[in-house]
Amino acid sequence: MYRQASRLLVRALGGGRPVGRAFSTDAPVAPVEDSAFVEAWKKVAPNLDPPKTPLSFMKPRPPTPSSIPSKLTVNFVLPYQSEISNKEVDMVIVPATTGQMGVLPGHVATIAELKPGVLSVHDGNEVTKYFVSSGFAFIHANSIADVVAVEAVPVDHIDPSLVQKGLADFTQKLSSATTELEKAEAQIGVDVHSALNAALTG
Amino acid sequence: MATALVVVLMVAVIGGSDAAWCVCKSDKSSSTLQKTLDYACGAGADCNPILRNGACYNPDTVLAHCSYAVNSYYQRKGQAQQACDFSGTATLTSTDPSTSGCTYPTSNRDLSPLGTRSISTQVVRNRMKSVKNIQKITKAMKMVAASKLRAVQSKTENSRGLWQPFTALLGDTPSVDVKKNVIVTITSDKGLCGGINSTSVKISKSLYKLTSGPEKETKYVLLGEKGKVQMVRDSKNSIEMTITEVQKNPINYTQVSVLADDILKNVEYDALRIIFNKFHSVVSFIPTVSTILSPEVVERESESGGKLSDLDSYEIEGGETKAEVLQNLSEFQFSCVLYNAVLENACSELGARMSAMDSSSRNAGEMLDRLTLTYNRTRQASITTELIEIISGASALTG
């Protein structure tokens, strides 16, 4: 009864149209198939069904809501598993190449490249930290954040002594490197290990 | 007398069951038939009866001589079906082509002359043995495919999240109109897996037709031995590169990204179209095409307000320029989509192989049942004959 009150009130005041409009565009029927493609296909191969496209296997994403939602929806995927899928959290901090970037609901749409560093997911008082190697983060206008990484491990799975050893190894390799390729490889090793070290100590 | 009649009857029954002759087709030209005749006589057929003054010299036509020669060859090869082909000039028949005075041999008369009646059961027994062996092999292949499938399927299902962020961001643009198209066809290295490879190839060829046009260039990149074999025949000039033995080791992301890098380095593209069979269930696979645009095309489309107009509203962090980030993004997208596609196709291949091997084991089982029935009937008949012989012999002595 009270749930409907505001809507009824708005309608009574003659402001029903915007609400009605919003309702009608609320869930647009996502075009599952690209009709231009299907038509072109029918012309060249009338006897063969057109192949499916990835969009038809995906749940359509919701449109941008008019008000900022209280939670951020996060997808965090790796090649071998989906770490977080469609989870609602308060905030994520991603290690962008330009620096750590905090993402809250309503963040401006962004494409960010990631560097080796700590990705932390804040949900209430609970904080989950992952060390990610590299990848991309897409933040959409509808408060959905997608993080795609090549490799990620929870920070508490990392052995500090091995990190120290690796860091020392690569620093030594960097100093003794002769070719450009060796130098670049050692530099990557040093970068990753110092990031790991920072993640453990920080 | 009665005994002899029974024996003759029995031979006729056995002979009637699987007697087969090989004859030349009458619609072929006589020069073709002459070639077949020469080949058969040279390769071991008994051609003496068709020489002048031989029993089968009349009727003196190339067709009749050719038929006699190919039949002789076919019988001497133990009635193997492929021994009666001769590049399509000969065919099998169940009606005896013999004419008066000229008898065409069939295996029963060759293999079991009158009096050695147990020999026919031996032929059936050999056949049963070979069918049983084939069944064993197909069953084993099914088991192998099933156990491999379980591992690959969980891997595939876990990798399905990987491409979704890219599709959410860059959309799905199979109808994009660009100059340089590269079709990446994913097929398997090994056969015996139903129609998944020919589906991939068919879809690729249609997509080639769809994307080609004046001032456009479409090239193929083929993954897998089977796709290569099928494509090489008619699209040799459009094949840019081929990659095989992708599945020699268990598929992992590193390996696929090296592969993706290799493809990106060696081909110039405006749009990459990956074709693969998406795994749906063990018996159903969905041919799918994923489109990946080059960074230049992505930039052009987003700026001109085409399909990617939403992309213009995104802020871009990192990298020196927007183009650099887009290049990284598109290359990363390609490796991720390719990884999922390779896994999906491997999974479909194993599923298809499993169902193909299952049905061939079943077929072998049915064949074995039929052969067992024939074998038992023949055995029973020979026992009955022996009994009749003994009884009639005994009654002749006492009577």
Side-chain angles (χ1 to χ4, degrees):
Chain A
M1 176 84 187
Y2 287 115
R3 199 157 50 86
Q4 305 282 359
S6 64
R7 191 172 63 86
L8 291 172
L9 196 68
V10 169
R11 200 166 62 182
L13 290 170
R17 228 175 121 230
V19 176
R21 278 276 296 271
F23 186 69
S24 70
T25 54
D26 194 26
V29 181
V32 172
E33 278 174 338
D34 193 326
S35 57
F37 176 68
V38 172
E39 251 161 55
W41 182 273
K42 284 264 164 9
K43 268 180 212 150
V44 292
N47 300 328
L48 204 62
D49 282 338
K52 297 278 180 209
T53 53
L55 208 58
S56 55
F57 302 117
M58 224 175 105
K59 253 199 240 161
R61 294 286 174 97
T64 312
S66 49
S67 62
I68 294 171
S70 60
K71 293 270 192 179
L72 179 75
T73 312
V74 179
N75 292 302
F76 177 29
V77 291
L78 301 174
Y80 51 90
Q81 84 181 22
S82 296
E83 278 288 328
I84 301 172
S85 99
N86 273 328
K87 194 180 170 199
E88 297 206 320
V89 300
D90 290 325
M91 177 175 77
V92 289
I93 300 176
V94 295
T97 43
T98 46
Q100 294 292 100
M101 186 169 82
V103 182
L104 289 162
H107 193 279
V108 65
T110 308
I111 300 170
E113 245 183 297
L114 305 184
K115 63 173 185 193
V118 178
L119 169 92
S120 46
V121 181
H122 299 250
D123 189 17
N125 290 329
E126 200 184 313
V127 180
T128 327
K129 283 187 176 179
Y130 297 95
F131 186 82
V132 299
S133 60
S134 62
F136 269 94
F138 312 134
I139 296 131
H140 304 280
N142 51 7
S143 293
I144 293 182
D146 292 318
V147 182
V148 190
V150 174
E151 180 66 86
V153 279
V155 169
D156 48 4
H157 285 198
I158 300 170
D159 183 351
S161 59
L162 279 179
V163 173
Q164 292 298 344
K165 191 173 164 285
L167 187 57
D169 275 1
F170 276 105
T171 319
Q172 199 252 324
K173 256 187 209 163
L174 184 61
S175 56
S176 66
T178 48
T179 64
E180 286 293 315
L181 181 71
E182 274 176 30
K183 240 180 228 170
E185 276 175 358
Q187 185 62 49
I188 291 169
V190 169
D191 285 352
V192 171
H193 281 89
S194 6
L196 268 171
N197 203 16
L200 288 172
T201 51
Chain B
M1 184 63 206
T3 325
L5 193 69
V6 168
V7 172
V8 167
L9 264 180
M10 239 194 66
V11 168
V13 166
I14 298 162
S17 65
D18 61 348
W21 291 270
C22 182
V23 292
C24 288
K25 288 179 185 164
S26 53
D27 57 348
K28 300 286 172 195
S29 70
S30 53
S31 60
T32 326
L33 294 179
Q34 185 65 48
K35 247 184 237 166
T36 308
L37 170 61
D38 294 344
Y39 174 78
C41 290
D46 174 22
C47 290
N48 288 328
I50 49 171
L51 294 177
R52 198 174 286 271
N53 303 328
C56 295
Y57 180 69
N58 281 319
D60 181 14
T61 59
V62 183
L63 180 65
H65 289 179
C66 174
S67 293
Y68 189 88
V70 293
N71 182 57
S72 166
Y73 178 83
Y74 169 64
Q75 305 299 350
R76 290 199 165 185
K77 294 287 170 193
Q79 293 197 340
Q81 198 168 4
Q82 61 270 32
C84 183
D85 182 35
F86 298 97
S87 352
T89 55
T91 180
L92 285 177
T93 175
S94 58
T95 49
D96 189 352
S98 305
T99 52
S100 60
C102 169
T103 357
Y104 281 61
T106 82
S107 69
N108 286 320
R109 257 170 264 171
D110 276 358
L111 286 172
S112 64
L114 292 174
T116 52
R117 49 187 115 73
S118 61
I119 202 88
S120 66
T121 60
Q122 198 180 354
V123 172
V124 179
R125 216 161 40 221
N126 284 343
R127 190 80 184 279
M128 278 163 70
K129 212 191 268 169
S130 74
V131 172
K132 228 181 258 172
N133 284 339
I134 290 169
Q135 193 186 25
K136 262 184 211 156
I137 294 168
T138 54
K139 263 188 187 161
M141 283 177 85
K142 187 198 154 193
M143 299 299 274
V144 171
S147 68
K148 274 190 190 162
L149 177 70
R150 228 166 290 146
V152 177
Q153 192 180 346
S154 70
K155 222 175 182 181
T156 308
E157 277 161 5
N158 284 332
S159 77
R160 281 190 184 153
L162 195 62
W163 54 265
Q164 299 199 1
F166 295 101
T167 309
L169 180 75
L170 298 167
D172 191 11
T173 51
S175 59
V176 72
D177 190 28
V178 289
K179 284 224 170 66
K180 283 183 207 146
N181 285 286
V182 174
I183 300 176
V184 183
T185 307
I186 302 181
T187 54
S188 68
D189 280 337
K190 289 179 201 150
L192 296 178
C193 51
I196 64 157
N197 291 328
S198 53
T199 315
S200 284
V201 169
K202 254 190 256 166
I203 298 275
S204 309
K205 282 183 182 165
S206 301
L207 199 63
Y208 182 88
K209 262 192 239 160
L210 199 151
T211 52
S212 54
E215 289 181 25
K216 284 191 190 171
E217 199 185 15
T218 308
K219 293 278 181 196
Y220 289 117
V221 171
L222 304 172
L223 264 77
E225 196 70 51
K226 291 287 154 185
K228 187 171 126 192
V229 170
Q230 291 188 29
M231 282 287 196
V232 133
R233 251 177 268 150
D234 57 351
S235 323
K236 201 168 183 199
N237 297 331
S238 340
I239 298 175
E240 186 81 18
M241 67 187 288
T242 59
I243 298 162
T244 54
E245 299 196 331
V246 179
Q247 295 175 42
K248 209 169 181 190
N249 306 315
I251 299 160
N252 60 33
Y253 179 74
T254 321
Q255 182 193 345
V256 174
S257 56
V258 169
L259 210 81
D261 198 41
D262 209 25
I263 294 174
L264 289 175
K265 265 188 209 149
N266 287 312
V267 296
E268 275 182 31
Y269 68 99
D270 285 333
L272 287 159
R273 296 162 193 274
I274 305 179
I275 293 170
F276 60 99
N277 285 283
K278 194 178 161 64
F279 182 78
H280 190 249
S281 74
V282 181
V283 286
S284 114
F285 322 105
I286 306 163
T288 309
V289 52
S290 292
T291 315
I292 289 145
L293 304 176
S294 72
E296 298 83 35
V297 174
V298 169
E299 204 160 356
R300 199 185 69 204
E301 290 278 314
S302 69
E303 272 164 15
S304 67
K307 288 203 161 147
L308 300 172
S309 55
D310 291 347
L311 197 68
D312 224 18
S313 66
Y314 283 82
E315 256 179 40
I316 291 182
E317 296 260 335
E320 300 282 299
T321 57
K322 187 180 174 187
E324 200 177 304
V325 176
L326 282 180
Q327 166 133 22
N328 285 346
L329 181 66
S330 131
E331 286 177 4
F332 189 41
Q333 182 193 14
F334 179 54
S335 72
C336 288
V337 173
L338 190 69
Y339 176 65
N340 175 252
V342 168
L343 272 177
E344 294 277 1
N345 205 68
C347 205
S348 302
E349 180 201 340
L350 290 171
R353 179 165 303 132
M354 211 176 105
S355 50
M357 288 300 116
D358 187 40
S359 59
S360 66
S361 309
R362 215 174 21 245
N363 271 347
E366 276 168 23
M367 198 169 176
L368 201 58
D369 285 349
R370 265 203 317 275
L371 285 175
T372 316
L373 199 66
T374 319
Y375 173 72
N376 284 342
R377 274 206 192 128
T378 321
R379 198 169 53 98
Q380 210 83 60
S382 76
I383 292 169
T384 317
T385 318
E386 270 167 29
L387 278 178
I388 291 173
E389 276 172 18
I390 294 165
I391 293 166
S392 48
S395 68
L397 282 177
T398 53

